[in-house]
Amino acid sequence: MATRTDVGRRAERASDRIMGVHDETRWGVLTGEFWTMIVVALAVLIAAAIADNFAARSAWWIVGVIASAYIVSRGLAKSGTSHRTPDR
C-alpha cells in the first residue's frame, strides 16, 4: 500500500515531467493550505445558501479574503526556498 509521501513523490515526478522542474517547496495542490482553503470556501458558500441572514455579497467577500490569504501564504512559503538546480 502506498503511503501519502509516496503518492506525493510520484505526483512531484509526474508534474516535473509534464511542467518541468519547479522551484516550489511542494506542488501547490498537495499542500494542506490549499485543501483547507477549498473546504472553508465551500463551507462559507453553503452557509450563505442555507442561512437566511447571511448575504451572498458577504459570503463572496469572505471567500475573496480566504483566497487572498492563501495566495499570501504560498508566496511566503515560496519566498523562503532557494532555487533548485535541475539535478536536485
Side-chain angles (χ1 to χ4, degrees), residues 5 14 21-23 28 31 50 55 68 71 73-74 76 81 86 88:
T5 56
V21 176
H22 53 281
D23 297 325
T31 62
I50 293 173
S68 299
I71 291 168
S73 75
R74 287 304 296 163
L76 291 173
T81 60
R88 297 191 195 208

Side-chain angles (χ1 to χ4, degrees), residues 2-66:
T3 63
R4 191 163 50 183
T5 56
D6 293 337
V7 172
R9 286 187 185 115
R10 284 189 299 197
E12 286 283 334
R13 285 194 298 271
S15 69
D16 287 348
R17 285 192 306 271
I18 295 168
M19 300 181 338
V21 176
H22 53 281
D23 297 325
E24 207 170 339
T25 55
R26 191 183 317 168
W27 199 30
V29 179
L30 296 177
T31 62
E33 297 103 358
F34 176 78
W35 293 107
T36 303
M37 178 198 65
I38 296 296
V39 168
V40 171
L42 286 174
V44 168
L45 293 175
I46 290 169
I50 293 173
D52 292 333
N53 59 351
F54 191 23
R57 183 179 189 134
S58 297
W60 282 108
W61 186 84
I62 291 170
V63 169
V65 169
I66 292 167

